[in-house]
Amino acid sequence: MKPYLLLATRADDAAAEGEYQGFLRFGGLAPDELHRVRVEQCPLPPIDLERYSGIFVGGSPYNSSDPEEEKSVEQRRVEQELGTLLDEVVAEDFPFLGACYGVGTLGRHQGAVIDRTFGEPVGAATVTLSGPGAEDPLLEGMPEAFTAFVGHKEACATPPRGAVVLASSPACPIQMFRIKENLYATQFHPELDVDALVERISIYRNAGYFPPDEAEDYMRRARGFRVDHPARILRNFVRRYAVS
């Protein structure tokens, strides 16, 4: 099988490794089946799509909706490089699944309104499939409503033209969308289980997602949830697009 590619932008090594392990585990992939490029560390090398079965984009400390003058040099570089790659990915309708930051990258590239209207605190949300979502092959086997982990400052307020909204939650109307046939983005994190979220809360306690002195409370609440359905999306993606 051709490997998958994970484009990561988490500068914290522990968070980056946890994310990578989540995509491996829930995607049912071996390390040699998931190549990773940490784009925040170095310029994105030329990507030959013919070498890969599909592309994942993980979460990020970056926010696409930040004012340009407030973005770091590294963030502007990452956005430019991912945008250039998306020019080709979208044109070819190449299998793509972006988790959380994927909404900002793919959505912004395709003309969505990305802002802070529908940000969600770190925790669990009840996500409900739309009619098209219930019929989408990437959501095969998913219940009509399921619990997923979220935590984001920005979200998609208006979807890209032609996008199909696949799932929503009460606080965030666009939790997942599809463009063309093979380009997907989720606002929730399909790569996170309870232990991974607890670790991430610890790592990002000073990142502005919640008051630092409430981190232990957020961890305690996270341990009270059972979140097992979103991982199916990663498995479905891997099975659907694996090519030799």
Side-chain angles (χ1 to χ4, degrees):
M1 182 185 76
K2 292 181 181 180
Y4 287 81
L5 174 65
L6 172 61
L7 300 177
T9 60
R10 295 188 182 277
D12 185 278
D13 289 341
E17 184 60 23
E19 178 179 78
Y20 179 60
Q21 293 300 323
F23 276 98
L24 284 175
R25 177 186 173 193
F26 295 124
L29 296 165
D32 64 348
E33 295 173 328
L34 181 62
H35 295 174
R36 175 177 55 165
V37 177
R38 292 184 61 178
V39 191
E40 89 288 352
Q41 291 187 341
C42 59
L44 182 66
I47 302 298
D48 181 2
L49 298 182
E50 290 295 324
R51 292 184 54 205
Y52 296 102
S53 291
I55 293 175
F56 295 110
V57 167
S60 179
Y62 301 146
N63 291 290
S64 299
S65 61
D66 287 343
E68 288 299 315
E69 64 273 13
E70 296 181 10
K71 294 179 181 178
S72 66
V73 172
E74 289 76 15
Q75 180 175 352
R76 291 196 296 270
R77 174 185 61 78
V78 167
E79 290 180 352
Q80 189 276 324
E81 291 172 353
L82 291 180
T84 297
L85 177 61
L86 281 171
D87 290 342
E88 182 179 4
V89 167
V90 173
E92 297 192 17
D93 196 15
F94 186 79
F96 175 95
L97 175 58
C100 198
Y101 188 50
V103 167
T105 53
L106 180 61
R108 185 182 185 205
H109 183 272
Q110 291 297 292
V113 175
I114 307 295
D115 61 24
R116 301 202 175 202
T117 304
F118 298 112
E120 293 178 288
V122 174
T126 299
V127 178
T128 302
L129 301 183
S130 67
E135 298 178 356
D136 192 276
L138 216 63
L139 293 161
E140 181 180 358
M142 297 288 288
E144 181 181 355
F146 58 91
T147 303
F149 283 133
V150 299
H152 50 100
K153 299 174 183 177
E154 65 179 10
C156 184
T158 303
R161 183 177 181 180
V164 179
V165 176
L166 301 175
S168 64
S169 70
C172 184
I174 303 173
Q175 282 283 355
M176 183 175 182
F177 64 79
R178 187 190 73 237
I179 294 173
K180 295 187 174 180
E181 295 298 319
N182 303 310
L183 309 168
Y184 293 87
T186 68
Q187 189 63 75
F188 57 89
H189 287 274
E191 84 286 2
L192 282 183
D193 61 7
V194 170
D195 289 341
L197 179 62
V198 168
E199 178 185 48
R200 199 167 288 178
I201 290 171
S202 178
I203 292 169
Y204 288 118
R205 68 171 64 221
N206 295 305
Y209 292 100
F210 49 82
D213 60 355
E214 296 181 12
E216 297 301 325
D217 290 336
Y218 276 85
M219 293 180 196
R220 176 182 51 79
R221 287 195 292 269
R223 293 188 181 100
F225 291 104
R226 179 177 178 179
V227 176
D228 48 17
H229 292 295
R232 181 182 293 273
I233 295 170
L234 298 183
R235 294 194 295 273
N236 286 347
F237 186 86
V238 168
R239 285 197 296 264
R240 182 182 181 190
Y241 294 115
V243 294
S244 57

